[in-house]
Structures are given as C-alpha cells and as structure tokens.
Amino acid sequence: MKKKNLRYLQSITKLLFFLSFYATIAQNTSTASEEKPNVLIIYTDDHRYTGVHALGNQEVETPNMDSLVKDGISFSNTYLMGAFSGATCVPSRAMLLSGRNLFQLEGQGHVIPKSHTTIGETFKKAGYYTHIVGKWHQDNNSLVRSFDSGDKIMGRGLYLTDHFRMPLWDWDKEGKFSKDDAYLLVYDKEGKVIRRSLNDQDKKGPFGTEDIGPHTSEIFAKSASQFISQYDKEQPFLMYLAFHAPHDPRQAPDAYKKIYDVNRIKLPPSYMLQHPFDNGHMVLRDEELAPWPRTKQVVQQQLADYYAIISHLDAQIGSVIKTLKESGNYNNTLIILAGDSGLAVGNHGLIGKQNIYDEDGVHVPLILAGGVIKNKGSTIEAYNYIHDIFPTICEITKTPIPSSVTGKSLLAVMKEPRKKHRVYTYHAYKQFQRAYRKGDYKLIEYVRAKDFTKARGEFETGSRVTQLFNIKKDPWEVIDLSFQPEYKVILHQMRNEMKTESIRLGDKKENIWGEKYDFWDYY
C-alpha cells in the first residue's frame, strides 16, 4: 500500500507540474498574442496615387514602396476630401491627425483644437510612446500635446524652398520653436554633417545641391532609423514620419536624376497644353512653377524631376524599413504609407494640386503593411478618405476610438473586401469646385465666384462649367460626357445627390471659420 500511495503521489505531482507548465505556456502565448503592435505612419507630400509604380504602373521606379504593396494591403480608391486652402497639405494633415472630415475642421485646418483628439494623444492614452519626425503643418499646441518626443521638426515658420537647405528644429516640449532656434544641416570641409544657425545670407531657393548638405528625405529617414534602432522602452511606439518629398522644389541627387531620360518620358493620357477653362485658382505659386503653354518638353522635364525625387524618397523609406527589420520590430509593427494629396504635373494642363481631378488633386496611395497585416498582396477597391486612416489604425491595434473622430474604420472591409465602405465620395476646393463620385461616374461642377487677395482686393474669377466622367472607363478624366443627351438622366441624378450630400456634410461658409464666400451662392 505504501508503494502504491507513493506512486499515486508521484503521479499527482507530475500531473500538477504539467498542468502548471502548460498553464504558463498558455499565459505567455496569450500575452504575446495580446501584445500591442508598434505603429509607423509614413506620410508623403504631394504624392499622387500613380507615384507608386506598383499602383499606377507608370515609369517611376519605387522598389521599396512596391515591396510594401506586396507585403501588405493597398487601397485603390483613397481620396483627400478637399481643401479650403491652396496649401492642400494643411487640411489633409489635419484630417489624418484628427480623423475628422473637411467640414469639421477648425477653419482651414491650421489649428487642431483641444476638443479634437489627435492620433498622438489617443495612442499616448493607450500606453504608447509617441514620436514625430519631419513636417508639421498645424499649431504648436497640438504638436506638443500629441507626442512624447520628436526630432528634425520642419515647418514652424521658416521655409527656404529648398530640400538641401531646410530650416529644422529640435524637439521643444514647451512648444516654442522660435526662429532663433532654427538651424540648417550642412557639410563641413571634411564632408561631415554639421548644424549651423540661419543668417541674412540664407535667401529663398531653390539653389541648393547635394554638395551643400543632406536632402530632407535623407535627414528625416536617418532620424527615424536612429529612433527605431535605439528604442529600448517596454511600451510600444507610434512614430509619425512626415516627409516633405516629393513636394516641390523637385530636387534630387544627380544619381536619381540620371535614372530618367527627359526626352523619353511618356506623357500621361490627360496631358494638355493648357487647362480648357479658368477653374477659379489658375494663377498661384504652384501653377507658376512651369511656363504656359505646357509643351511636351516642359511636362517631360517636370515629370522627370517628379519621378527622380520620388525614387530618392523611395530609397530613404527603404532604409527605414531595413532598420525596422534589423531591430526585430518588423513583425510586430503596423506600417501605414499614404500621400497627402495628388499632383497634376502636366495633367489637364495643370502643374499643382489646387483642383479635384483624381490624379491631379485628390487620389492618393494608401498601403498597410508589416507583420501585423494578413492577406498580403491584396488590393481593396472600396471608396475611402484620408480621415478614415485614424480609426482604422485604432481598430487594428484594439485602441479605443475617440468620440471626436468621425472617419470610418476600414478594418471590416479589410476582412471582407466585398463589403461596402462608402457608396460615394464628395470633394470640395475652396468656393470654386465641387465633385461627387458614385458607381462608375464622377461629376465635377465649377462656378465663377468672388475671391480676395491683399494684392488685388476683391475680384471675380472662375467659370461655370460642368464635367461628367465615366471613371471606370476613363480614370484619367479625359472624356467629358456632361453634354451628351444619353447621360442627361445620370447627370440630373448626380447633381441632386451631390446637393443632398452637401447639406448633410454642412458644406456652407458658416461652418468654415474665416471663409467669406460660398460655392452654393454661385451655383
């Protein structure tokens, strides 16, 4: 009996040991599966959808962004809702950072009020360490309340229009970012990167070269890589990496310029010598970057320069992703790559982005990649906006979405691509242009309206024009169907639905602080 009891006790002991052992494994597995992923948001500037080779199949070479497309989910119909500023990157970034639509921003988007919880604040509250590198277009208060730290901050009031001579700031937790604290990164006689203060001889460019100092894309990528490689905190991080490229001036190192033979650059299907009518904002800095008319040679040079700065940007993004992999964080990181607006670069006779054509103004790349993403290499066609990105990141990381966010998470459609996300999209540019997209069609309406500048005072500009495109058959918006009798019913329906949506969104000047003019007063 004693031996039997001993064997019995030994069996019980072994059983308890194994139960304890497997319980520990289960607990560790559960903890690992519930571990919050890091978040890396890469936001590019004036980067149209076809500015990623794998998305638009254009001549631009982007092997690193193409790799993200293969290793993630890309969205073929992501759009900027619009802008009430010629600097469309201002509202674009406000929408990304606040998750609110164009008509719910504070004015044009220069200020993000405390009542609009930012993505940085949201993730700080959820236990993340938040960090920013690069461009910030909003107010200082929203900047410092969004991030625990930052580096190489750009855009705080000094701008030399030069990627090789860009004023930068160190992180200032008090949010002062005074002009006296701005500096440039330049090469000394030995070729080492040093910092120096600005002086009266630092005139606006662009006349910098790679011999003077590093390019903004190199500066921001190096800073981001250093943060990743040196990060040693237990909490996950959210990094907002905001590049200034490929925004003009379209400067790139010579090695990238040599990739593109100007004389062999193909013109886009929507190339025109000039825009066929006054769209309300034809004369501004962006459009003055190239002479009129937009001859074949002019546009080929613009495109070659645009592709070169994108390829250079792509290499820098690649270096950040390489560092992420080497640090061992890639498999537990959600990577978001998106552009803030489209850019014409010769489409429809335009150069800038002050319009609501697709490639020329509002169609942007959106790629979600990294180890967190499944269904790799897939494409989702659902209509969505830039302000849908914020709640999407929250849902993927199981982070509570603030009540101030009004965008719609894309997680459901990522799981079931056949689901509808948005049935239509609506777009606005100042008091001159409105667009409505549904199904195969897109309606754009233009008006002649009043405007005001300090130089000219109040004046009238623009044209009363209607355009209707079959986006499915004509994605570059070349063939206007609005005057053809067989599209009369569709045109009438689209106009009525656009007006209904404008009312639902609150598209009127009273809802946009500082606006003097209303599109609907002239329609």
Side-chain angles (χ1 to χ4, degrees):
M1 288 293 294
K2 289 182 179 180
K3 290 183 178 180
K4 286 184 178 180
N5 287 338
L6 181 61
R7 285 197 295 268
Y8 176 75
L9 288 171
Q10 288 174 337
S11 299
I12 292 294
T13 302
K14 287 180 181 179
L15 177 61
L16 290 173
F17 171 78
F18 283 115
L19 287 173
S20 174
F21 176 75
Y22 285 111
T24 302
I25 291 176
Q27 185 178 8
N28 290 339
T29 304
S30 175
T31 302
S33 65
E34 293 173 4
E35 185 180 357
K36 288 276 192 177
N38 301 309
V39 178
L40 171 59
I41 303 170
I42 303 173
Y43 212 46
T44 56
D45 200 331
D46 288 0
H47 192 183
R48 67 192 192 191
Y49 178 82
T50 55
V52 177
H53 177 79
L55 300 181
N57 198 30
Q58 298 298 294
E59 291 174 283
V60 62
E61 295 183 13
T62 56
N64 294 291
M65 287 185 259
D66 293 353
S67 292
L68 290 178
V69 171
K70 292 178 183 177
D71 196 44
I73 296 174
S74 57
F75 294 82
S76 58
N77 287 297
T78 300
Y79 300 98
L80 169 66
M81 183 176 259
F84 285 93
S85 164
T88 63
C89 43
V90 172
S92 174
R93 288 155 200 270
M95 284 183 268
L96 172 78
L97 296 162
S98 71
R100 297 171 67 83
N101 76 44
L102 178 65
F103 306 99
Q104 299 169 326
L105 302 178
E106 180 86 356
Q108 295 180 351
H110 291 282
V111 174
I112 303 178
K114 288 185 178 180
S115 57
H116 299 175
T117 306
T118 68
I119 192 168
E121 289 178 287
T122 300
F123 278 78
K124 281 174 71 173
K125 186 177 179 181
Y128 277 71
Y129 185 88
T130 60
H131 183 77
I132 176 176
V133 173
K135 186 171 182 175
W136 184 262
H137 240 319
Q138 278 61 50
D139 60 297
N140 289 341
N141 287 334
S142 61
L143 170 58
V144 295
R145 76 171 192 260
S146 296
F147 301 99
D148 292 303
S149 62
D151 188 39
K152 306 299 184 293
I153 308 300
M154 176 206 151
R156 310 317 310 132
L158 290 174
Y159 184 57
L160 295 181
T161 321
D162 199 322
H163 279 282
F164 293 104
R165 300 180 308 119
M166 184 59 66
L168 303 167
W169 280 261
D170 290 332
W171 180 250
D172 183 350
K173 64 181 180 180
E174 302 299 325
K176 294 178 181 178
F177 298 101
S178 68
K179 291 184 178 180
D180 292 338
D181 293 330
Y183 62 90
L184 300 179
L185 291 181
V186 298
Y187 296 127
D188 65 11
K189 293 180 179 179
E190 284 73 42
K192 295 180 180 179
V193 177
I194 60 171
R195 54 191 289 168
R196 71 164 177 84
S197 300
L198 276 73
N199 56 55
D200 293 339
Q201 281 70 51
D202 291 317
K203 306 300 181 183
K204 284 194 172 184
F207 51 77
T209 69
E210 59 194 292
D211 296 325
I212 292 176
H215 192 282
T216 59
S217 295
E218 297 164 7
I219 292 169
F220 300 151
K222 182 178 180 181
S223 175
S225 293
Q226 286 176 339
F227 174 83
I228 292 168
S229 62
Q230 296 171 8
Y231 190 75
D232 59 0
K233 301 181 187 300
E234 291 186 6
Q235 64 197 116
F237 66 78
L238 177 143
M239 178 160 58
Y240 176 50
L241 172 54
F243 285 100
H244 186 43
H247 191 287
D248 71 88
R250 290 183 262 282
Q251 299 165 297
D254 287 341
Y256 292 88
K257 290 180 181 179
K258 290 177 181 177
I259 296 173
Y260 301 99
D261 182 346
V262 173
N263 297 317
R264 302 185 70 171
I265 293 290
K266 295 178 183 177
L267 298 178
S270 58
Y271 161 73
M272 294 180 184
L273 283 168
Q274 68 177 39
H275 197 259
F277 56 88
D278 178 4
N279 68 9
H281 215 178
M282 295 289 293
V283 183
L284 74 165
R285 191 196 67 85
D286 285 33
E287 293 302 329
E288 292 171 353
L289 292 173
W292 287 273
R294 319 301 196 186
T295 64
K296 177 182 177 182
Q297 292 73 24
V298 165
V299 173
Q300 284 178 315
Q301 184 64 64
Q302 290 286 320
L303 283 170
D305 292 341
Y306 187 52
Y307 291 164
I309 194 173
I310 290 175
S311 290
H312 177 246
L313 168 66
D314 178 79
Q316 310 318 308
I317 290 174
S319 70
V320 175
I321 301 303
K322 181 174 182 287
T323 301
L324 191 64
K325 290 179 177 178
E326 290 173 347
S327 72
N329 283 310
Y330 185 83
N331 288 333
N332 192 41
T333 298
L334 170 63
I335 302 167
I336 301 94
L337 171 66
D340 69 354
S341 72
L343 194 69
V345 202
N347 295 343
H348 299 99
L350 302 172
I351 297 296
K353 68 266 188 176
Q354 292 77 15
N355 63 82
I356 46 182
Y357 290 118
D358 270 22
E359 289 308 302
D360 311 24
V362 297
H363 193 192
V364 298
L366 173 59
I367 304 162
L368 272 59
V372 174
I373 295 298
K374 311 305 176 186
N375 303 323
K376 295 182 182 298
S378 61
T379 301
I380 294 175
E381 298 180 355
Y383 290 159
N384 65 94
Y385 294 118
I386 284 172
H387 56 276
D388 292 336
I389 297 174
F390 181 164
T392 302
I393 297 172
C394 286
E395 272 215 315
I396 292 174
T397 59
K398 298 180 180 179
T399 300
I401 301 172
S403 59
S404 59
V405 170
T406 59
K408 296 173 62 177
S409 170
L410 288 156
L411 184 59
V413 77
M414 288 170 65
K415 292 179 176 179
E416 296 183 47
R418 291 186 179 181
K419 274 190 173 183
K420 291 285 185 183
H421 181 69
R422 295 185 183 275
V423 177
Y424 51 80
T425 65
Y426 182 93
H427 306 276
Y429 181 70
K430 292 178 68 69
Q431 65 269 32
F432 302 113
Q433 306 169 29
R434 294 295 182 273
Y436 179 76
R437 175 198 322 273
K438 185 179 180 182
D440 293 347
Y441 296 94
K442 178 181 174 184
L443 170 71
I444 308 180
E445 296 278 30
Y446 304 80
V447 295
R448 183 168 180 80
K450 289 183 178 180
D451 201 2
F452 177 88
T453 65
K454 289 182 180 180
R456 297 180 62 184
E458 189 173 71
F459 59 97
E460 283 195 353
T461 185
S463 310
R464 179 66 189 93
V465 173
T466 297
Q467 294 174 322
L468 179 69
F469 300 106
N470 185 319
I471 292 293
K472 188 174 183 179
K473 295 180 180 178
D474 178 25
W476 291 86
E477 297 161 295
V478 175
I479 304 170
D480 178 17
L481 307 172
S482 64
F483 60 90
Q484 297 185 17
E486 59 265 40
Y487 294 96
K488 183 178 180 181
V489 173
I490 291 174
L491 179 62
H492 181 71
Q493 178 184 340
M494 295 283 283
R495 279 175 164 168
N496 286 340
E497 291 185 13
M498 183 172 78
K499 179 63 177 177
T500 299
E501 180 63 3
S502 75
I503 295 170
R504 189 190 73 81
L505 287 169
D507 178 7
K508 55 183 180 180
K509 64 183 179 184
E510 289 79 9
N511 287 344
I512 304 147
W513 185 87
E515 288 303 305
K516 296 177 64 176
Y517 309 109
D518 194 322
F519 171 89
W520 298 103
D521 288 342
Y522 301 96
Y523 183 60

